[in-house]
Amino acid sequence: MNQLKDALSLVLTEIGNACAQANRSENSVQLLAVSKTHPSEMLREMYQAGQQRFGENYLQEALNKIEELQDLDIEWHFIGHVQRNKTKHLAEKFDWVHGVDRFIIAERLSNQRLPDQTPINLCLQVNIDQQDTKDGCEPSEVATLVSEISQLENVKLRGIMVIPAPNNTAAFADAKNLFDQVKSSHAHPEDWDTLSMGMSGDMQAAISAGSTMVRIGTALFGSRDYSQK
Ligand SMILES: *Cc1c(COP(=O)(O)O)cnc(C)c1O
């Protein structure tokens, strides 16, 4: 318990310091605890230490944890790659999906959201630094995607998620520019409020560039063991 609690307060202090250095208010950056590969008991302890927002990458693993922790008021974020045939579970079980990079994914999430649920929160994943990956849309596609996705009934498009190559902190500034550009021409700019960027190794640079949500795994839970996967 103490170890996780200490890690959480250390990370919160680091976020606070980074905000102070960047002349930003401390509550302008949210902490998403990235809990992939870690057992439900660790999430429960982290929750009891005061953390409410958790991010998972692997659907089946996440669904098991959501079931096991249903007595807690956790806000669940899916930050992994979204497969088109898996959107139903995402639509029904998650509060946020960060990896949307095509209209069809947002459309399916909207159609599959249950009638008694509030709209699901989405971020567009953008391949901000031309990495050789199939994840993320191109920066040039963002404006069109925003206007198309904004028409959907049961989703709320909140902003952009990026995962630049390690050490490419310059990409954070590009993401911030893109984020601001969309906001300036957005029909409801107050809804466009999330710039999801920064992980354990580059949290400070991301905050100084304007991140509003850092996704932190290792600094909170320790290193990950993938051998069980
Ligand atoms: C695993 C993961 C993280 C957390 O990374 P750490 O370096 O452990 O903080 C953040 N974002 C995404 C998309 C991830 O897959």
Side-chain angles (χ1 to χ4, degrees):
M1 174 82 200
N2 277 338
Q3 212 177 327
L4 291 177
K5 203 174 175 170
D6 290 350
L8 177 60
S9 56
L10 189 62
V11 166
L12 289 173
T13 302
E14 284 171 1
I15 291 174
N17 290 343
C19 286
Q21 250 174 42
N23 270 319
R24 301 181 54 191
S25 84
E26 195 159 341
N27 54 17
S28 63
V29 179
Q30 299 184 318
L31 171 60
L32 180 64
V34 176
S35 44
K36 59 177 179 243
T37 77
H38 300 297
S40 293
E41 304 84 79
M42 280 177 90
L43 281 72
R44 186 177 290 278
E45 283 184 25
M46 196 57 93
Y47 179 88
Q48 282 157 357
Q51 177 64 26
Q52 201 223 349
R53 204 175 281 118
F54 289 86
E56 289 281 337
N57 290 61
Y58 309 108
L59 183 59
Q60 193 50 57
E61 179 192 340
L63 293 175
N64 293 341
K65 290 178 187 174
I66 290 171
E67 177 78 21
E68 285 165 7
L69 300 172
Q70 55 179 301
D71 57 312
L72 308 180
D73 184 25
I74 289 179
E75 183 179 285
W76 292 103
H77 292 234
F78 190 77
I79 60 172
H81 176 66
V82 181
Q83 287 171 286
R84 177 191 175 126
N85 60 344
K86 302 279 172 63
T87 49
K88 186 167 156 45
H89 290 294
L90 295 178
E92 294 179 0
K93 302 289 184 183
F94 285 82
D95 301 295
W96 285 70
V97 176
H98 290 232
V100 174
D101 57 6
R102 287 174 291 158
F103 177 72
I104 179 87
I105 300 288
E107 186 180 42
R108 289 174 66 93
L109 290 170
S110 181
N111 290 340
Q112 292 168 336
R113 192 72 166 164
L114 299 173
D116 64 338
Q117 292 181 299
T118 55
I120 189 166
N121 298 289
L122 307 183
C123 287
L124 272 181
Q125 184 175 351
V126 183
N127 181 10
I128 196 68
D129 55 351
Q130 288 93 43
Q131 286 180 78
D132 194 8
T133 159
K134 55 184 179 357
D135 291 350
C137 66
E138 295 308 311
S140 60
E141 298 176 290
V142 168
T144 305
L145 282 170
V146 170
S147 70
E148 288 173 352
I149 293 173
S150 300
Q151 311 296 316
L152 296 170
E153 191 91 3
N154 299 315
V155 306
K156 192 168 174 188
L157 185 59
R158 302 287 294 265
I160 286 171
M161 190 271 258
V162 295
I163 316 173
N167 303 315
N168 185 5
T169 52
F172 291 146
D174 295 336
K176 169 68 169 158
N177 283 336
L178 181 59
F179 176 82
D180 287 347
Q181 210 178 309
V182 172
K183 196 175 181 78
S184 67
S185 57
H186 201 287
H188 302 280
E190 69 281 3
D191 291 344
W192 184 258
D193 60 2
T194 303
L195 182 51
S196 164
M197 64 184 187
M199 320 203 296
S200 296
D202 53 19
M203 172 171 97
Q204 207 171 347
I207 290 172
S208 100
S211 168
T212 70
M213 192 183 289
V214 288
R215 308 177 309 266
I216 308 296
T218 310
L220 288 173
F221 296 102
S223 55
R224 289 181 286 272
D225 177 4
Y226 287 95
S227 64
Q228 305 297 318
K229 295 218 67 74

